[in-house]
């Protein structure tokens, strides 16, 4: 029975329009930052030409990718429509009639967020390089403004999607809070599907180009990175935008939306009604404002060191998190103080846990991947004895780095659970109530971690822009002083990108836990209130655990293999051009850049479908065979194994990349040395680790959950065992 809720309950259900206001604030700020970037010059005619080629390649790839995704979406939407509108049981469909439409809108907004971020990134690359020719701080401001467009577009569209659907269900169809919560938790599937295609496809594209360019250009030909003589250079720059910008944007969009929707459902199950649903939305709006203020704190001096640049970025993100924590105190008190059975102080502690966990994971990731700290410096030392020891050292570093994030998330889960009223004593008479209270705390912790996503994603999306700026500076023949500035911005970007990936992984783990809980609630409802046997000794649960772990490894294998095969084609093509185009090495002939872009495009689109569909098909098949309990095991297996694997792969790759950058800065013989060649090989191994397989696992664990929730009624009514 739902608990009685008094006080502000009478008006809280009418406050959800605040979500629209928050979305507009975020989108208007993103628009203002885009206009600000456009005011800067793209530089010389050569710089403008290179920037135009990168834009053309990125637009062409996304156009072809979205066509492929649209076809797959159409098929899935038809299946969902059949499940929703055909009267399967007692004259009712197996999923809500709103799900097919929400599936399409979620996918559309996810793709739109990625597209907008990519467009502004490709417009900012040359502008950042040109601004860096004036000063380091000016280049930093252009790149971070570009990143802000991505960050605030994602949160703005996410809040808008959630708010519009809520208002439609509340005022258009007069649904109560429980119905809205249980319906909207299914709405994340579209965003998750689109995000996985974006991440996998973009990751394959960018790393195929990067690996191919490095192996032939740096190792075999001995020419610098981003040298215009390398035919794969433009493809590499295109890949940075479609993978690290569009892909990352879509990834965090679905985490953001998924955490809000999951907490909606948990709040309803806990008996918190409108108040429990409004709080996560209100926190998201407060986070937008705090992120906006924090973005103005990012600035640096002209002679800033790498450590000072990192400090500038941390100042903005930490200030936003601290301000959000302060503002959440009166917010949580006002919304939850009169909700019977709820501890507003405990819920506030859960918010603090999420905010602290996000910052802590970011710092740990920075420690293991930045060349200002010992782990990456020690990894560069390993290059003294060759590529083999470099690879061994990077794998070891990545494995070691999993400990801290896992413990951080574990502490956040336990503290938020207990603080919100949960109990680890399972034989209590009031255990069900306390359990639901605690689960709400976990959901709110996920909201807290993602509250300042606007500025966190801004610092992440900054990275590819800075990387491309360095490439354009190199290809345009800008002075050494400019290259030093763009190299500093690029090195910072490698660290912020790695930190962003760590944050994305941590938020994915908390979001996946919240979605797992939501699945159990929805599945039990589909079973008529019957309790699910979640004991590990249940064979269905146990087998599901193994299947979930297996899925992580198979998914990783498919994405790694896709990069390998596509990169092989690039290597062959670059070697052919070096061999057959006379004068290319002397700089007298222009390479055929478009052929490499086309090879990466076709390879990525061909290879992205199977791994993405696995995340949809495997949970359904597992459920049809093993039932609801088997799916619970699968979700637990993918979450635990996927979290650890994603951290390992992302941090190994980030460390290998920055170890190479550390050598290029003049250590261990500098560019062209044997140590540098070993570092490049380590980096090529790490490329698909950190930019393809690792980040894609974030989405895999969440998509499995959302698919399971949508198809829970099917699984509950149709299964073999």
């Amino acid at each position: 029975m739902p608990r009685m809720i008094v006080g502000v309950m009478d008006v809280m259900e009418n406050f959800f329009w605040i979500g629209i206001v928050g979305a507009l604030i975020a989108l208007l700020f993103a628009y203002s930052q885009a206009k600000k970037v456009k005011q800067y010059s793209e530089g010389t005619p050569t710089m403008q030409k290179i920037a135009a080629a990168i834009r053309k390649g990125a637009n062409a790839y996304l156009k072809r990718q979205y066509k492929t995704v649209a076809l797959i979406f159409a098929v899935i939407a038809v299946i969902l429509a059949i499940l929703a509108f055909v009267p399967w049981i007692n004259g009712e469909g197996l999923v809500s009639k709103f799900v097919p439409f929400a599936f399409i809108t979620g996918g559309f907004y996810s793709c739109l967020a990625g597209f907008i971020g990519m467009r502004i990134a490709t417009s900012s690359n040359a502008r950042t390089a040109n601004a860096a020719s004036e000063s380091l701080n000016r280049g930093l401001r252009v790149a971070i403004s570009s990143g802000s467009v991505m960050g605030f577009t994602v949160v703005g569209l996410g809040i808008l999607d959630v708010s519009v659907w809520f208002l439609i269900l509340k005022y258009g169809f007069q649904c109560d809070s429980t119905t809205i919560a249980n319906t909207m938790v299914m709405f994340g599937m579209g965003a998750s599907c689109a995000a996985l295609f974006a991440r996998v496809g973009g990751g394959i594209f960018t790393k195929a180009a990067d690996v191919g360019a490095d192996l032939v250009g740096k190792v075999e030909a001995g020419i610098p990175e981003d040298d215009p003589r390398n035919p794969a250079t433009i493809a590499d720059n295109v890949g940075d935008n479609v993978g690290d910008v569009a892909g990352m944007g879509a990834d965090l969009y679905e985490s953001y939306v998924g955490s809000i929707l999951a907490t909606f459902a948990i709040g309803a199950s806990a008996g918190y009604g409108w108040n429990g649903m409004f709080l996560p939305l209100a926190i998201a709006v407060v986070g937008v404002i705090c992120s906006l203020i924090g973005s103005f704190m990012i600035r640096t001096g002209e002679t800033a060191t790498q450590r000072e640049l990192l400090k500038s970025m941390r100042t903005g993100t930490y200030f936003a998190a601290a301000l959000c924590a302060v503002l959440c105190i009166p917010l949580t008190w006002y919304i939850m103080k009169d909700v019977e059975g709820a501890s507003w102080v405990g819920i506030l502690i859960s918010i603090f846990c999420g905010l602290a966990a996000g910052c802590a994971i970011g710092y740990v990731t920075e420690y293991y991947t930045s060349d200002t700290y010992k782990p990456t410096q020690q990894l560069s030392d390993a290059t003294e004895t060759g590529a083999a020891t470099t690879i061994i050292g990077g794998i070891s570093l990545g494995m070691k780095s999993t400990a801290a994030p896992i413990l951080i998330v574990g502490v956040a889960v336990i503290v938020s659970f207990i603080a919100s009223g949960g109990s680890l004593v399972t034989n209590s008479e009031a255990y069900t109530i306390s359990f639901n209270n605690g689960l709400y705390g976990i959901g709110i912790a996920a909201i807290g971690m993602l509250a300042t996503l606007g500025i966190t994603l801004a610092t992440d999306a900054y990275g590819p822009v800075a990387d491309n700026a360095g490439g354009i500076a190199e290809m345009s023949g800008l002075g050494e002083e400019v290259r030093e500035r763009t190299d500093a911005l690029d090195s910072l970007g490698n660290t912020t990108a790695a930190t962003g990936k760590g944050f994305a992984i941590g938020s994915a783990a908390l979001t996946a836990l919240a979605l797992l809980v939501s699945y159990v609630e929805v599945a039990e409802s589909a079973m008529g209130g019957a309790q699910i046997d979640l004991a590990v000794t249940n064979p269905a649960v146990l087998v599901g655990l193994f299947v979930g772990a297996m899925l992580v490894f198979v998914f990783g294998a498919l994405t790694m293999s896709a990069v390998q095969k596509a990169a092989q084609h690039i290597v062959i093509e670059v070697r052919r051009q070096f061999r057959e185009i006379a004068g290319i090495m002397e700089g007298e002939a222009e390479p055929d850049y478009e052929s490499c872009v086309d090879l990466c495009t076709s390879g990525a689109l061909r290879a992205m479908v199977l791994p993405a569909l696995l995340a949809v098909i495997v949970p359904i098949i597992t459920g049809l065979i093993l039932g609801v309990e088997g799916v619970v095991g699968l979700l637990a297996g993918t979450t635990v194994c996927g979290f650890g694997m994603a951290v390992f792969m992302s941090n190994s790759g980030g460390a290998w990349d920055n170890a190479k950058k550390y050598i290029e800065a003049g250590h261990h013989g500098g560019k062209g040395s044997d140590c540098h060649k070993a570092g490049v090989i380590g980096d090529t191994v790490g490329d698909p680790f950190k930019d393809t397989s690792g980040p894609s696992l974030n989405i895999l664990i969440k998509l499995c959950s959302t698919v399971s929730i949508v198809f829970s009624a099917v699984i509950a009514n149709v299964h073999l065992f």
Side-chain angles (χ1 to χ4, degrees):
M1 290 288 292
R3 289 169 285 196
M4 296 296 294
I5 304 174
V6 297
V8 296
M9 174 58 199
D10 295 334
V11 296
M12 202 58 64
E13 62 182 287
N14 299 318
F15 279 4
F16 282 81
W17 56 266
I18 290 175
I20 301 292
V21 176
L24 290 176
I25 292 173
L27 294 173
L28 286 173
F29 181 70
Y31 177 72
S32 71
Q33 292 298 294
K35 285 190 66 176
K36 179 181 177 180
V37 170
K38 291 292 183 68
Q39 292 174 354
Y40 291 89
S41 170
E42 283 196 305
T44 65
T46 302
M47 295 169 69
Q48 294 176 29
K49 180 183 177 182
I50 296 168
I54 294 171
R55 272 195 299 272
K56 180 182 177 182
N59 288 331
Y61 170 77
L62 281 189
K63 185 178 180 180
R64 290 173 63 177
Q65 179 185 348
Y66 289 160
K67 283 183 178 179
T68 303
V69 173
L71 291 173
I72 296 171
F73 260 60
V75 173
I76 296 175
V78 169
I79 294 172
L80 292 174
I82 293 171
L83 293 174
F85 292 99
V86 174
W88 295 92
I89 299 175
N90 299 324
E92 297 289 333
L94 291 173
V95 302
S96 168
K97 292 178 174 58
F98 301 107
V99 169
F101 305 102
F103 173 77
I104 294 172
T105 62
F108 173 77
Y109 278 128
S110 180
C111 291
L112 180 61
F115 178 75
I116 292 173
M118 186 276 298
R119 288 294 298 270
I120 190 63
T122 55
S123 298
S124 306
N125 300 331
R127 290 179 166 89
T128 300
N130 190 58
S133 66
E134 300 178 29
S135 73
L136 179 66
N137 189 58
R138 194 172 179 86
L140 176 67
R141 292 306 310 171
V142 176
I144 199 64
S145 293
S146 171
S148 295
V149 177
M150 175 83 269
F152 286 88
T153 297
V154 165
V155 298
L157 291 178
I159 296 175
L160 183 66
D161 190 18
V162 171
S163 300
V164 168
W165 268 111
F166 176 88
L167 296 174
I168 289 173
L169 295 177
K170 175 68 172 67
Y171 297 105
F173 294 89
Q174 305 299 313
C175 298
D176 59 31
S177 59
T178 301
T179 302
I180 292 176
N182 291 339
T183 300
M184 290 188 67
V185 75
M186 301 182 183
F187 287 5
M189 182 176 167
S192 295
C193 280
L196 191 56
F197 280 111
R199 248 317 184 186
V200 173
I204 294 170
F205 184 111
T206 183
K207 293 305 106 181
D210 199 358
V211 171
D214 283 355
L215 286 179
V216 184
K218 287 185 178 181
V219 178
E220 295 182 7
I223 58 179
E225 186 173 7
D226 299 315
D227 193 297
R229 293 171 293 178
N230 194 326
T233 297
I234 296 295
D236 185 11
N237 290 327
V238 169
D240 289 336
N241 294 283
V242 300
D244 295 338
V245 178
M248 174 61 86
D251 177 357
L252 284 169
Y253 174 90
E254 63 96 24
S255 275
Y256 192 66
V257 171
S259 65
I260 294 174
L261 297 178
T263 309
F264 273 12
I266 298 171
S269 298
Y272 293 163
W274 300 115
N275 297 53
M277 294 175 64
F278 181 63
L279 181 60
L281 186 64
I283 294 171
V285 174
V286 168
V288 168
I289 297 170
C290 295
S291 295
L292 194 155
I293 297 171
S295 67
F296 293 107
M297 307 290 291
I298 301 175
R299 58 176 62 88
T300 190
E302 180 55 33
T303 59
T305 64
Q306 183 68 16
R307 191 179 291 273
E308 290 169 334
L309 287 170
L310 282 170
K311 183 180 178 182
S312 174
M313 289 287 191
R314 284 202 298 265
T315 298
T317 54
Y318 289 176
F319 179 85
L323 182 60
C324 184
V326 172
L327 294 179
C328 280
I329 297 173
L331 184 76
T332 307
W333 171 82
Y334 180 70
I335 296 174
M336 302 301 294
K337 65 182 176 67
D338 292 322
V339 179
E340 185 181 345
S343 168
W344 76 268
V345 175
I347 293 171
L348 180 64
I349 292 173
S350 298
I351 298 171
F352 291 167
C353 280
L355 285 165
C359 293
I361 289 174
Y363 179 79
V364 169
T365 305
E366 178 187 314
Y367 174 76
Y368 278 105
T369 59
S370 172
D371 62 15
T372 59
Y373 298 100
K374 283 187 178 181
T376 297
Q377 292 176 2
Q378 290 173 346
L379 180 59
S380 71
D381 294 341
T383 62
E384 294 281 356
T385 48
T389 51
T390 304
I391 293 170
I392 293 170
I395 292 173
S396 172
L397 182 152
M399 289 180 173
K400 188 188 300 180
S401 72
T402 63
I406 289 174
L407 291 174
I408 290 168
V409 169
V411 170
V413 168
I414 295 295
V415 173
S416 59
F417 181 83
I418 294 175
S420 300
S423 174
L424 300 180
V425 181
T426 59
N427 59 357
S428 168
E429 292 183 2
Y431 178 69
T432 300
I433 294 176
S434 67
F435 184 69
N436 288 332
N437 291 346
L439 292 178
Y440 185 75
I442 295 175
I444 285 294
I447 299 294
M449 181 178 285
L450 289 164
T452 55
L453 178 62
I455 188 171
T456 303
L457 184 51
T459 60
D460 187 344
Y462 152 92
V465 173
D467 189 2
N468 272 204
I472 291 173
E474 177 74 35
M475 288 185 282
S476 304
L478 298 183
E480 186 64 29
E481 186 182 26
V482 180
R483 284 294 297 153
E484 288 177 0
R485 292 169 182 165
T486 57
D487 283 346
L489 295 175
D490 183 18
S491 183
L492 173 65
N494 284 335
T495 301
T496 60
T499 302
K501 290 182 179 72
F503 176 82
I505 295 165
S507 67
L510 278 181
T511 301
L513 287 173
L515 289 169
L516 173 58
V517 172
S518 298
Y519 168 74
V520 173
E521 297 283 349
V522 173
E524 287 182 342
S525 176
M527 295 168 63
Q531 293 290 310
I532 300 174
D533 180 10
L534 301 179
V536 177
T537 51
N538 182 337
V541 175
L542 186 60
V543 173
L545 283 167
F546 282 118
V547 173
M550 175 206 69
L551 178 60
V552 170
F553 283 92
V554 171
F555 180 88
L558 289 172
T559 50
M560 292 283 289
S561 177
V563 173
Q564 169 220 326
K565 292 175 181 177
Q568 285 179 307
H569 290 297
I570 298 298
V571 167
I572 293 170
E573 173 61 19
V574 174
R575 285 173 176 170
R576 183 194 67 80
Q577 292 196 33
F578 280 162
R579 185 174 60 251
E580 297 180 4
I581 300 178
I584 191 173
M585 292 300 294
E586 292 77 21
E588 299 172 355
E590 187 172 278
D592 180 7
Y593 298 118
E594 290 189 9
S595 65
C596 291
V597 173
D598 188 64
L599 280 173
C600 289
T601 299
S602 58
L605 294 177
R606 197 167 47 246
M608 74 175 186
V609 176
L610 179 57
L613 288 180
L614 276 180
V616 177
I617 296 171
V618 172
I620 297 173
I621 293 176
T622 301
L624 293 176
I625 297 174
L626 299 175
V628 171
E629 291 87 353
V631 176
V632 171
L634 178 138
L635 297 182
T638 54
T639 300
V640 173
C641 186
F643 179 34
M645 182 69 78
V647 172
F648 155 61
M649 298 184 88
S650 293
N651 288 349
S652 285
W656 273 316
D657 192 353
N658 276 333
K660 177 200 68 177
K661 293 286 186 185
Y662 186 71
I663 295 170
E664 290 175 344
H667 303 88
H668 300 289
K671 293 182 180 180
S673 65
D674 289 340
C675 289
H676 184 228
K677 291 179 179 179
V680 170
I681 292 173
D683 183 33
T684 58
V685 175
D687 277 337
F689 270 45
K690 69 181 175 70
D691 289 325
T692 308
S693 300
S696 298
L697 288 169
N698 309 342
I699 310 169
L700 174 75
I701 62 179
K702 291 171 291 186
L703 180 55
C704 286
S705 296
T706 56
V707 168
S708 300
I709 291 171
V710 170
F711 287 88
S712 57
V714 178
I715 294 167
N717 289 280
V718 183
H719 54 270
L720 186 59
F721 299 108

